[in-house]
Amino acid sequence: MSNIITTIPKSRFPDWATCERLLRRCTGDDDMGYWTIRCQRPPKKPIVGRQCYMIYDGKVRGHFSIVNIDDVRNWKFHTPTKAGKVIVLANWQAINTGPEVVGFQGWRYTDLRE
C-alpha cells in the first residue's frame, strides 16, 4: 500500500496553530471541507483510500484520507487556466510525535504508517 507525503508551505500560514485550525475544518462535508494539492503530474499508483501525510516546518504533523483525484478546473479556488490535477483530501488526523522530514517540496510516495 502506497501512501504519499507532501509539504504545506510555511509561508502560507503565520504559525502552526493557524494552519491546524484550517486542517481540522476539512471534514469533506462541502466544497470548502476539503484540502487539495494541485499537481502537474498526479501519482501513477492507485492512492484513493490511502493516507497523505502532511509536513509543516520540517515535521510530519498528521495525515488526511485521500478521497479523490480530480481535474483542477473542477475546483473554483484554483486558477482555472492552470492544467493538472488535484489530490482531494479530507478527515485530518493529527500526529503528536511525527518524524522530521526536510528537503523537498511537492509530493512523493512514502512508507509512513499510523
Side-chain angles (χ1 to χ4, degrees):
M1 179 156 84
S2 294
N3 292 321
I4 63 171
I5 190 166
T6 191
T7 54
I8 300 170
K10 191 175 174 185
S11 62
R12 194 168 167 198
F13 299 97
D15 53 46
W16 171 242
T18 304
C19 180
E20 188 173 36
R21 275 194 304 274
L22 181 60
L23 295 171
R24 288 183 187 278
R25 292 188 348 217
C26 296
T27 60
D29 292 335
D30 57 22
D31 282 350
M32 295 308 290
Y34 294 99
W35 186 274
T36 58
I37 304 165
R38 190 179 73 79
C39 49
Q40 286 293 103
R41 293 179 190 89
K44 292 183 182 191
K45 295 180 182 179
I47 61 167
V48 174
R50 317 278 184 185
Q51 302 300 312
C52 177
Y53 289 85
M54 306 297 285
I55 301 168
Y56 180 85
D57 195 19
K59 186 173 181 178
V60 176
R61 305 294 182 138
H63 61 83
F64 277 114
S65 296
I66 302 170
V67 296
N68 197 8
I69 297 178
D70 199 4
D71 191 283
V72 72
R73 293 179 197 101
N74 295 334
W75 295 84
K76 61 186 171 216
F77 48 85
H78 286 283
T79 308
T81 58
K82 297 277 186 178
K85 300 286 186 182
V86 291
I87 300 171
V88 183
L89 310 170
N91 302 318
W92 173 252
Q93 298 292 314
I95 298 174
N96 294 328
T97 58
E100 288 191 23
V101 179
V102 295
F104 84 99
Q105 294 180 346
W107 70 270
R108 66 182 179 196
Y109 295 106
T110 183
D111 291 329
L112 284 175
R113 302 278 183 258
E114 279 188 69

